[in-house]
Amino acid sequence: MLSRLAAAVAERYRIERELGQGGMATVYLAHDLKHDRKVAVKVLRPELAASLGADRFLREIQITAQLQHPNILTLIDSGLIADAVGASASLYYVMPYVEGETLRQRLALVGELPVADAVRILGDVADALDYAHARGVVHRDVKPENVMLSGRHAMVMDFGVAKAVNEATGRHAQTSAGIALGTPSYMAPEQAAGDQVDHRADIYALGVIAYEILAGRPPFAGDSAQQLIMAHITAAPDPVSKHRPGVPPALAELVRRCLEKKPADRPQSAREVVDTLESVATPGGGVASAPRATRMPRLRSRWTMIAAATGVVAVLLGGWWALRRDSAAGPSAGPSRLAVLPFESRGPAQQSYFIDGVVDEVRGQLTGLRDLRVIARTSSETYRNTRATPQQIGRELRVQYVLTGTVQWQEGIGATKVRVSPELIRTSDGTTAWTRAFDAELSDAFQVQSQVAASVAQALNLALASGDGSGPKKPTSSAAAYTLYLQGEDLFKRAQATDDNGRAAAELLERATALDPSFALAFAKLSMAHSRTYWSGGDRTPARLALATKAAERALALAPELPEAHLAMGYVRYWGHRDYAGALEEYGIAVRARPNDVSILLPFGPVARRQGRWDDAIAALQQVVDLDPRNFSALDDLGGTLSRVGRHREAAVITDSVVSLSPSLVVGWRTAVIVRIAAGDLAAARRTLQRADSTLAKQFPGWFFDKPYAGFERSFAALLDPAVQRRLEPLPIPAAFSADASSFYTVKVALALALGDRAGAGRYAESAWSILGRQVAANPSEPLWQAQLGLAQLQRGKFAEAISAAQRAVQLLPPSRDQVDGPLFEGVLAQVHAGAGNADSALAHLESLARIPSFWSGAAMRSAPAFATLRSDPRFQRLAGPAGVPKSR
């Protein structure tokens, strides 16, 4: 289809890539050659196009394309793709491409919206409906997926398409091809019953949307479309105020009226809805007015396209948890929120680590204030060299203040001096709340940091002190050691941002501690660098763990109250010993000192989910996302966690956000694929793998081998495009994999099997077995290597040895001890038994997996190549479901 489309529209549009698929169409991003702009080209599904008839569809499109309104995404072109041999003619239409998100994506993230935002969005949609209804056009498929959000504005999509499809098929609820025209969750009773509909069906759908964005749930639920339809026809919804007591009475009454069963009992026009919403939004109407500089615009104001890509992503991700928690509150409710932005350097580039160190230390000291919420580094870093205004940053990060500044370098006699000029700005109006210049020698960096932090706290009327009135203490008296620490810290942050190991950072931090053996903070960061290398750098050896432990113990001995020292020991317990209770105890001590420090809050969620405390894990990760909405690690963990508990739709939205935020991050793509496998949406998993390869292959040809999931290698390999399989399979081992060669050859086995090359799989298994034998001998308590050894032995035909190694992995880390990795290893054991022909044992382990949250959902089991021999077994079908069942998303 892509090649046919590209050829058919080549004179007008250049097709760039697929954006996604919906119930009626596939959407492509294209470049309008004539007008030099981005557009979205939607191609109707072949079966739908065949049932409509091209002439009638294009005639209806031409009529409804005349709709021109700021809250309607206009149709700008349409056409027919001629028949090809063996293919039906296809219909397409073209709309402007708008950077943003759908209302469905917003709801998947936040669950419910602040009342002021809900009123604004509903007003925009109602205004669009009023305009269309006045011209005789009824949408008939108003739903969150058809509402586009960009900046502070909402636009209704697919107006003409929904009408054209409905008119061309005789106003029935379904076409002869079985395509739903109208979504059961949003159908008016008369539409669901197949009766004649008018504009008041759109008003009913708007009422359903209003209920959902205010209550965080639709008014009706059902296990099937038929149950939903019956509920819309016969059931009375709970008052929206039952689920959201803070909804203004006038707004709750409007929602109730829109959801009346009889059209005559609803508001009789969308203009009536707009007028009611405007009265609710006025002062005294029940919705708190915004500060003057950011007051909500009139609901009928003209829409202006001002949202940039960075802002869209920030809006998409920012405030998930806070919006759930404070949905009825304005942006100023609760503690003050502050973003510390990167300072501007007016000096040599090689000294940038010093400036970033100043900013990070200021941010770190401010996180110790209980009455201040400080946005974390990852999200603040987005605004380096930004042209965004303080007001825009305030909206995107939901902060009342931003701290920015400049650093001017001055060469003095015998020393380099710096002038740090911070500025605290109110985001409500962009005015300066406080500014001051600090002069110091480069060797006195910590003094500058402390002075800036204390002055900001004072400007915000907050107390910044260690508890004894003395303020933060200087971590070292050695200027050289502190410089090395800042450089090592800079490298460590880069490693975290790229999911890399911490070896380079550890080398600099080792030198810092050698210069000052009493430098507790450097010992703490040194321990964390070693722990990261142990966990993420392929060096899971007792020697590396011993280095991490020794440095953490030294930091605690030097400074028992230092939060970073307890954080470091927490990682030793978490990553080194899987002592989750002990890790949480250490993190708890650290967080009491700095309750809003994301670096301390970040591990709470991952540890809680390993204990099987899924709700606690989700809440903790949402808290991190609130303070750091662009933290890919937290978002990746949150997406994976939601998928494990069956919330696949939300997980897919979040993982899509992760790869948008950090497209070069392999782990983000990996999670995005696996949540789709768990949901049973293999087509989406294939598309995601194709996007990953298109994005990563040029810079990282061996990306597919990086950090695979234990036991899912074959599922991933089988979903790859055959051309990609053939390109990857012969690749030599990259130098970067020298420390993780066993994983490389484990993936090679999976690729060879996907290509049907069993001899090649055997050769790669021999290589993996040889390496794993040495690794297991060096550290027999590492379950990952035992699991990989089991898979290698299976391909070597050593079934008894394979089962023994896989059993050992499960014994070392059963699901009862670790509910994240434990199920992965039990899944490997099930695969080994299946491959060895032990169906009873394989099914016993799969039944165990089915009882706990994990990526091994029934859909994942059903699609796994490793379980192909079990698919005809009735016991497997009862457990995983038969092939061809609808996906669970």
Side-chain angles (χ1 to χ4, degrees), residues 451-709:
Q451 289 176 341
V452 173
S455 297
V456 171
Q458 184 177 10
L460 294 173
N461 296 317
L462 300 169
L464 181 64
S466 62
D468 57 6
S470 60
K473 293 180 173 61
K474 200 169 185 176
T476 179
S477 58
S478 170
Y482 195 65
T483 297
L484 287 167
Y485 165 78
L486 290 177
Q487 293 172 339
E489 171 76 345
D490 184 61
L491 287 177
F492 183 67
K493 289 188 176 74
R494 293 174 190 271
Q496 290 177 305
T498 57
D499 198 35
D500 201 356
N501 64 65
R503 286 186 179 88
E507 291 177 3
L508 288 172
L509 293 164
E510 286 275 15
R511 292 166 57 191
T513 57
L515 286 175
D516 182 1
S518 64
F519 195 170
L521 183 60
F523 276 109
K525 289 300 173 69
L526 173 60
S527 173
M528 284 187 261
H530 284 311
S531 288
R532 183 166 193 84
T533 302
Y534 176 85
W535 187 256
S536 300
D539 188 9
R540 294 197 185 182
T541 61
R544 180 66 65 175
L545 180 57
L547 291 172
T549 305
K550 181 179 178 182
E553 289 173 344
R554 178 63 175 161
L556 284 171
L558 290 167
E561 303 303 319
L562 183 68
E564 287 84 356
H566 290 282
L567 182 63
M569 185 55 75
Y571 277 114
V572 168
R573 296 189 185 281
Y574 171 20
W575 284 342
H577 302 286
R578 298 184 185 269
D579 175 11
Y580 303 135
L584 288 177
E585 182 179 352
E586 296 290 347
Y587 297 147
I589 296 171
V591 83
R592 284 195 288 274
R594 288 211 294 272
N596 304 304
D597 189 333
V598 163
S599 67
I600 297 173
L601 293 170
L602 186 60
F604 275 92
V607 172
R609 66 180 186 169
R610 290 181 183 276
Q611 295 178 313
R613 294 162 44 201
W614 299 101
D615 291 342
D616 290 344
I618 291 169
L621 289 166
Q622 287 170 332
Q623 184 181 4
V624 172
V625 171
D626 174 35
L627 292 173
D628 199 1
R630 295 178 64 87
N631 188 314
F632 70 81
S633 178
L635 288 163
D636 185 72
D637 281 342
L638 181 56
T641 304
L642 290 168
S643 179
R644 284 178 171 93
V645 298
R647 294 165 63 175
H648 302 304
R649 183 192 295 271
E650 296 167 81
V653 171
I654 294 175
T655 54
D656 281 347
S657 301
V658 173
V659 297
S660 296
L661 282 169
S662 188
S664 62
L665 186 69
V666 176
V667 67
W669 289 104
R670 182 189 68 183
T671 307
V673 173
I674 203 168
V675 299
R676 285 160 171 82
I677 293 174
D681 195 347
L682 299 186
R686 288 189 183 95
R687 291 194 301 271
T688 303
L689 276 170
Q690 187 62 45
R691 288 173 55 210
D693 188 66
S694 300
T695 303
L696 299 168
K698 287 185 179 179
Q699 297 297 322
F700 188 11
W703 67 271
F704 188 72
F705 300 99
D706 191 31
K707 300 179 179 64
Y709 266 128

Side-chain angles (χ1 to χ4, degrees), residues 534-540 578 670 706-713 739-744 746-747 768 772-773 775-776 779-792 805-806 808-814 818 821-822 824-826 828-829:
Y534 176 85
W535 187 256
S536 300
D539 188 9
R540 294 197 185 182
R578 298 184 185 269
R670 182 189 68 183
D706 191 31
K707 300 179 179 64
Y709 266 128
F712 277 89
E713 295 86 358
D740 197 20
S742 58
S743 292
F744 175 81
T746 300
V747 177
L772 286 161
Q775 289 178 310
V776 168
N779 186 6
S781 63
E782 174 50 55
L784 175 62
W785 293 342
Q786 296 282 0
Q788 289 184 343
L789 182 60
L791 293 172
R808 177 62 177 156
V810 175
Q811 290 166 357
L812 287 167
L813 198 67
D818 185 318
D821 287 347
L824 295 177
F825 298 136
E826 185 155 13
V828 169
L829 181 54

